[in-house]
C-alpha cells in the first residue's frame, strides 16, 4: 500500500466554454478552485490539454504550491466527448504531469456531484442536452447526439426551432409569432437577411437565441409556447426513462435547466431534486474514489 | 437596331450538381445540348464559371461551331444563389466571352421553362425546396432559406427528420420505426455509430436518406408517414400561397416532386400541371426575351 500522506486530489470539469479545477488535500479538504479556458478534446485536443494544465497549475499556485507538486496530484477529469472511443484513447495517451489521471465523461462527474456520489440521475439542458443515470455502478446515457439531429430541448434546438418558426411567419406559411421581431433584433438583421446571418451558424449561435423563446413564451406567444411544450414533452419522456432504471429522483442541470422546470409534467417535477454539488466536486469525488493500487502504479 | 442574323442563343441551367447548356440559332431552333460540372456560384464561383464555359464551348462544338462563335452568343443564365446581392454582383462582374450575358435565378428559368414563358408558379422539391410565382412580370419567392433551418419538405429536411426519429427510437424516447434499421443499412453503421456517421453531414448527405422515408411510408411505417404528412402540409400551404397571387396552376419539380404528389391535398393536386419544358429551355427563352438594345451595347 502507498501512503496517502502528501497526496493531493484534483477534480477537473472540462467543457466547451471553460475548464474548472478544484484542488483538495489528502483528507479531501478543498484548497483552491480556478477556471481556465475551453477543454473539449473532441473539438480541440491540444487546447483541452493546455486548459487542463493551466487550471491545474493555477489551482496549485492559489494553494501556495508549485510545479513540483503536480507529481503528488491524483486527478479526476470529466470531459465531453470521451464517450467516443477515439477521443478517449487520444486523452488516455496523454503524457500528463500528474501522479495519476482518471478519465470519465462530463455527465458522469455531473451526476456524482449532483447526488454526492450516490445513485441518481441527471438531465443537462444547456447548449446541448443529455440524460444520464447511474445505479449500482452501472450507467446509461440518453440523447447527446449532437446538433442538428440530436440534443432535443437543448438551447441549440430551441434556437433552431425558433428560427424555423420565424421564417415560416416571414413567408406567410406559418402562424404569426413575436419570435420574428425578437430574432431580428438580436441578430441586427431583418427579413431575409436572417438567412445570411445564420448561414453556417454553430450550435452555440443557435443556443444564443434560446432565451428569446423563453421570453416570448412567458409573454404569451403561442408559437414559442408550442416549442417549449415540445421540448418539455421530450424532457418528460427522458426523465421517466431515467427513473425507470430504479432511481427515485433526478437533477436538472445546465443553463436552461432552471428555466424549463415549470414546463415539466407534475409527476416529473415531483421527482426533481436540487443538485447537492457541482460537477467539479463530482470530479474530485471521482479522483478520490479510484483504487489506490492503480494510483500507486502510475505514481 | 442590330441585326439578329448570325446571332446564337444559349440557355444555361446551373446547379450544385451539374450545368446544362442548350444552344439555339437566331430563330430559336435548338442546335445542341450538353451537360458539364457543378455551377453554383454561392458554393464555388471559379468552378461555376469554369462549368458554364465548358458547357458553352461543348454546345458550340456539338453544333459544329468553334471558339470564335462565342462572340455571337447571347446567353441566358439561371443560377442558384444569385438572389443574394453579393453573389449576383460577383457573377455580373465576370469578364465573360459572350456577346451578352443575362443573369437570373435558377427558379426563374425553371418557371419560364415549366410554363412556356407564361405566368405561373413552381415548387421545386429536391435536396432543397422553394416556391416561386411570376404574374404580370412580378415574381415572389418562398422558402429556399437553406439547411438546417429552411427548405422544409426538401430531401435534406426529410433525411434530417428521419434521422431524428431513428435516434429517438434508439433511445426508447420515441415510437418504434423501420427508419432506424433502414438508415443503419444505408450508412453501414449501427446504433450510436449513426451519430459519428452523420456528424458534420451536408444537406446532400441528409437528402440521400430521403428515399428511405418514402419507402418506409409506402410500407406502412407510421413514423415515416407522419414525416411525409408534415412535409405535404407545408407544400400544401406553399402551393396555396403561390396560387393566391392570381395564377391557376403550378408545377412540382425536383427529384422529390413526383414522389410527393400523392401526399398533397385534393385542392392542391387539382391545381397541379405537368411542366411544359425544362429549366434550360426556360434559360433559352430568357436569353431570347431580353431587350435587343442591351445586347447590341454589349455585343
Amino acid at each position: 500500500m502507498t501512503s496517502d500522506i502528501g497526496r493531493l486530489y484534483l477534480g477537473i470539469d472540462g467543457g466547451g466554454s471553460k475548464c474548472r479545477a478544484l484542488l483538495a488535500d489528502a483528507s479531501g479538504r478543498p484548497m483552491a478552485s480556478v477556471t481556465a479556458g475551453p477543454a473539449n478534446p473532441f473539438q480541440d485536443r491540444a487546447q483541452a490539454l493546455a486548459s487542463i494544465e493551466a487550471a491545474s497549475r493555477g489551482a496549485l499556485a492559489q494553494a501556495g504550491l508549485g510545479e513540483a507538486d503536480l507529481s503528488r496530484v491524483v486527478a479526476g477529469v470529466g470531459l465531453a466527448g470521451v464517450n467516443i472511443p477515439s477521443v478517449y484513447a487520444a486523452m488516455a495517451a496523454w503524457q500528463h504531469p500528474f501522479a495519476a489521471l482518471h478519465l470519465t465523461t462530463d455527465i458522469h462527474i455531473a451526476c456524482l456531484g449532483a447526488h454526492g456520489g450516490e445513485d441518481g440521475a441527471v438531465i443537462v439542458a444547456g447548449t446541448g442536452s443529455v440524460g444520464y443515470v447511474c445505479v449500482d455502478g452501472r450507467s446509461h446515457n440518453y440523447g447527446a447526439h449532437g446538433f442538428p439531429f440530436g440534443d432535443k430541448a437543448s438551447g441549440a434546438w430551441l434556437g433552431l426551432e425558433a428560427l424555423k418558426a420565424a421564417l415560416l411567419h416571414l413567408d406567410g406559411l406559418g402562424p404569426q409569432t413575436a419570435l420574428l421581431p425578437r430574432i431580428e433584433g438580436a441578430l441586427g438583421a431583418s427579413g431575409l437577411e436572417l438567412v445570411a446571418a445564420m448561414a453556417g451558424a454553430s450550435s452555440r449561435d443557435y443556443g444564443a437565441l434560446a432565451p428569446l423563446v423563453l421570453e416570448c413564451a412567458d409573454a404569451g406567444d403561442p408559437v414559442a409556447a408550442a416549442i417549449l411544450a415540445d421540448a418539455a414533452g421530450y424532457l418528460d419522456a427522458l426523465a421517466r426513462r431515467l427513473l425507470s432504471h430504479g432511481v427515485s429522483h433526478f437533477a436538472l442541470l445546465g443553463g436552461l435547466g432552471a428555466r424549463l422546470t415549470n414546463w415539466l409534467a407534475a409527476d416529473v417535477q415531483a421527482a426533481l431534486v436540487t443538485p447537492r454539488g457541482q460537477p467539479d466536486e463530482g470530479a474530485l469525488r471521482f479522483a478520490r474514489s479510484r483504487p489506490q493500487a492503480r494510483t500507486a502504479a502510475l505514481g
Side-chain angles (χ1 to χ4, degrees), chain A:
Chain A
M1 291 289 288
T2 306
S3 165
D4 237 24
I5 297 172
R7 179 152 295 157
L8 299 168
Y9 291 98
L10 186 69
I12 298 274
D13 168 28
S17 58
K18 64 180 189 297
C19 171
R20 291 182 58 84
L22 180 62
L23 183 70
D25 64 17
S27 68
R29 189 177 56 87
M31 300 170 72
S33 171
V34 302
T35 301
N40 183 322
F42 181 68
Q43 290 168 357
D44 189 335
R45 178 178 179 268
Q47 182 191 52
L49 300 187
S51 295
I52 292 169
E53 286 214 45
S56 305
R57 288 174 209 278
L60 285 172
Q62 194 182 85
L65 300 171
E67 177 82 15
D69 297 299
L70 277 170
S71 63
R72 297 163 55 201
V73 168
V74 174
V77 180
L79 299 174
V82 298
N83 54 318
I84 301 166
S86 62
V87 177
Y88 185 93
M91 280 304 300
W94 180 28
Q95 298 297 311
H96 61 77
F98 308 114
L101 185 150
H102 302 292
L103 192 60
T104 190
T105 61
D106 53 347
I107 188 75
H108 183 198
I109 61 165
C111 194
L112 288 171
H115 300 294
E118 295 176 12
D119 284 353
V122 290
I123 293 176
V124 182
T127 301
S129 72
V130 59
Y132 181 90
V133 58
C134 190
V135 184
D136 297 333
R138 297 196 54 168
S139 64
H140 304 269
N141 256 293
Y142 299 95
H145 300 137
F147 189 76
F149 47 79
D151 291 13
K152 185 162 181 176
S154 68
W157 184 90
L158 289 172
L160 176 57
E161 294 303 309
L163 182 61
K164 287 158 76 170
L167 291 171
L168 287 176
H169 168 192
L170 185 67
D171 267 352
L173 296 171
Q176 194 170 343
T177 171
L179 288 167
L180 177 58
R182 294 302 307 278
I183 292 174
E184 288 178 327
L187 297 179
S190 71
L192 285 177
E193 292 171 7
L194 293 177
V195 172
M198 289 301 287
S202 68
S203 53
R204 206 172 304 175
D205 296 328
Y206 285 103
L209 303 177
L212 305 182
V213 185
L214 294 157
E215 289 163 26
C216 287
D218 285 346
D221 185 81
V223 172
I227 292 172
L228 282 184
D230 191 7
Y234 173 78
L235 294 177
D236 286 341
L238 179 54
R240 291 180 188 125
R241 189 90 179 87
L242 296 172
L243 297 171
S244 75
H245 286 282
V247 296
S248 59
H249 51 268
F250 77 104
L252 185 54
L253 312 174
L256 278 172
R259 298 293 303 272
L260 294 171
T261 303
N262 289 339
W263 292 84
L264 301 177
D267 64 303
V268 172
Q269 287 197 43
L272 191 59
V273 294
T274 303
R276 287 197 224 169
Q278 297 304 308
D280 55 351
E281 297 172 67
L284 183 61
R285 187 177 290 277
F286 180 67
R288 289 172 49 78
S289 70
R290 293 297 93 186
Q292 289 291 321
R294 191 172 162 199
T295 306
L298 289 170

